[in-house]
Amino acid sequence: GKGEYDHFMLKEIHEQPVSLSQAIEGRVDPARGRIALEEFGPATFEGVESVQLIACGTSYHAALYGSLALNRAGVRARALLANEYSVGAPPVDENTLVIAVSQSGETADTLNALRQASAEGAATLTVTNVVGSTAARVADETLFIRAGPEIGVAATKTFSSQAVMLVLLAQRIADDVRGGPGADLESLLTELSRMPAAIDDLLSSTNARSIARRYEGCQSYFFIGRGLGFPVALEGALKFKEITYDHAEGFASGELKHGPLALVTPETPVFAVFTGTEDEKTLKNAEEAQTRGAPVIAVCPDGHRAVDVADAHLEIPDTDSMLAGLFANVQLQLVSYHAARLLERPIDKPRNLAKSVTVE
Ligand code: M6R
């Protein structure tokens, strides 16, 4: 049941410290700077030349996050919408690893793309939450995110776990391709092992409810981010639109001036996600919106330059840039939740949506 919470979504947001602990349990060893993904034999990914990540919706945002982690680790990767795969997939061969990211493991679009990739000779892997799911049976390899059941239609805890597992998997693939562990893994693994407690702190100190109240009734809600902040901006907007029914849109920060800026008014709050990568540029983009009257809500650590510029602040801890966006995402989940609550929306079961989309 929902226990002390009014909605499953809020319960699941609050479960993230536990679900993330479960995800990384036994899989990271910060002291030795090692990742242990025992489900894959030694050198499983040795021959991988490029990676395609396929998924839909929130899982696509996690896939985008994963593709950036892979690129940063020196592995060629791109994220693709599973429902576009049959009409425009880049060619694959036996040195292509295709990773299907699916919470349920039952999404028809994702399964179709996975089967296509497999038939065309790619190696396949699925990152899923559900043991015994179709994706787990179809793919050559499986990585379970161990988030526990998610009841709310809006994916929350499973996004965090997918992203974290893809960050780990990216390091492991890069290690196998290189033939040895990369440098600087220690700091990432240390921050990762601190993440559950840090999310706990964020959940107990968040001002997301007052932000939701302050910007209630606006015309549109924009979310911007760059690098790993971009998938977080897309996810922030998806969550917002699906449970509040208000218009929301996520953009790469730098894209704002290439068109969407025409929509910006005092009635369009802009949530700007700062992850520690080229933050000056993102701040400049946010200021361009602010100049047109839009309130800017900076999602960044305390003491960040953006705090002085912005109209409001959602705080995240100062952490590894690979993980910062995931804290920002938790703050944005909470803003969406509280905004939907003020509007008295049926948060756990938004109109027209289903938890698992098993039709094409
Ligand atoms: O089960 P999957 O992860 O394959 O589902 C894909 C999407 O339908 C899903 O992520 C959807 O976008 C979310 N429930 C939205 O919150």
Side-chain angles (χ1 to χ4, degrees):
K2 293 186 291 238
E4 60 187 288
Y5 298 100
D6 292 337
H7 297 93
F8 279 106
M9 185 186 178
L10 188 62
K11 175 172 180 260
E12 286 157 3
I13 290 172
H14 280 264
E15 275 170 4
Q16 288 176 111
V18 173
S19 52
L20 283 173
S21 300
Q22 287 168 192
I24 62 177
E25 164 103 67
R27 286 166 162 171
V28 303
D29 182 351
R32 292 166 59 204
R34 272 194 73 235
I35 290 174
L37 293 178
E38 309 289 353
E39 38 278 274
F40 311 122
T44 300
F45 305 109
E46 199 175 35
V48 170
E49 285 172 7
S50 72
V51 179
Q52 295 177 4
L53 297 103
I54 52 176
C56 306
T58 291
S59 295
Y60 171 72
H61 301 148
L64 197 51
Y65 205 94
S67 73
L68 295 166
L70 277 158
N71 289 337
R72 276 202 192 184
V75 180
R76 226 174 258 123
R78 54 185 296 203
L80 300 151
L81 287 167
N83 34 68
E84 286 285 308
Y85 199 77
S86 59
V87 286
V92 299
D93 59 28
E94 69 279 6
N95 299 319
T96 314
L97 174 66
V98 173
I99 304 177
V101 185
S102 175
Q103 187 282 128
S104 63
E106 303 298 345
T107 300
D109 290 332
T110 308
L111 292 174
N112 288 343
L114 178 61
R115 291 193 173 105
Q116 182 187 329
S118 191
E120 288 171 2
T124 59
L125 185 156
T126 189
V127 175
T128 185
N129 195 27
V130 181
V131 177
S133 60
T134 308
R137 280 184 282 115
V138 170
D140 303 332
E141 306 274 356
T142 304
L143 183 58
F144 291 109
I145 63 169
R146 305 177 187 159
E150 189 175 64
I151 310 295
V153 165
T156 52
K157 63 174 179 174
T158 56
F159 172 82
S160 307
S161 294
Q162 286 171 333
V164 159
M165 290 319 296
L166 286 167
V167 165
L168 284 184
L169 182 60
Q171 302 300 328
R172 167 63 200 268
I173 294 171
D175 284 4
D176 284 6
V177 169
R178 261 191 312 256
D184 294 340
L185 200 54
E186 229 173 278
S187 116
L188 173 64
L189 297 186
T190 303
E191 290 301 307
L192 202 53
S193 58
R194 288 186 186 144
M195 201 171 167
I199 291 189
D200 231 357
D201 291 344
L202 182 153
L203 290 169
S204 54
S205 63
T206 182
N207 59 334
R209 188 164 174 274
S210 83
I211 297 286
R213 192 176 278 283
R214 181 158 161 196
Y215 297 108
E216 192 186 354
C218 287
Q219 192 188 10
S220 245
Y221 298 82
F222 296 145
F223 297 78
I224 63 169
R226 151 181 272 105
L228 290 162
F230 175 44
V232 172
L234 294 177
E235 176 59 10
L238 177 62
K239 219 88 303 178
F240 202 91
K241 66 183 91 166
E242 75 178 317
I243 62 168
T244 69
Y245 310 159
D246 276 337
H247 181 249
E249 223 45 70
F251 303 107
S253 313
E255 273 293 294
L256 213 52
K257 59 183 172 300
H258 297 289
L261 204 52
L263 297 171
V264 168
T265 71
E267 289 300 301
T268 61
V270 175
F271 291 85
V273 174
F274 296 91
T275 59
T277 305
E278 300 195 344
D279 281 359
E280 325 68 47
K281 290 188 184 173
T282 302
L283 185 55
K284 202 163 156 269
N285 301 139
E287 287 185 84
E288 283 156 7
Q290 199 179 39
T291 305
R292 275 81 187 180
V296 168
I297 304 96
V299 192
C300 62
D302 214 9
H304 193 283
R305 293 177 307 290
V307 178
D308 303 324
V309 174
D311 302 275
H313 179 210
L314 286 160
E315 189 185 346
I316 58 171
D318 206 347
T319 182
D320 194 287
S321 70
M322 198 71 102
L323 306 176
L326 303 180
F327 289 94
N329 182 63
V330 176
Q331 287 285 25
L332 297 179
Q333 290 171 345
L334 288 162
V335 171
S336 290
Y337 173 79
H338 290 294
R341 211 183 153 128
L342 288 168
L343 293 162
E344 296 179 15
R345 302 298 190 217
I347 294 177
D348 287 332
K349 284 183 187 298
R351 68 183 178 204
N352 312 338
L353 300 177
K355 182 68 181 163
S356 192
V357 186
T358 53
V359 291
E360 238 183 304

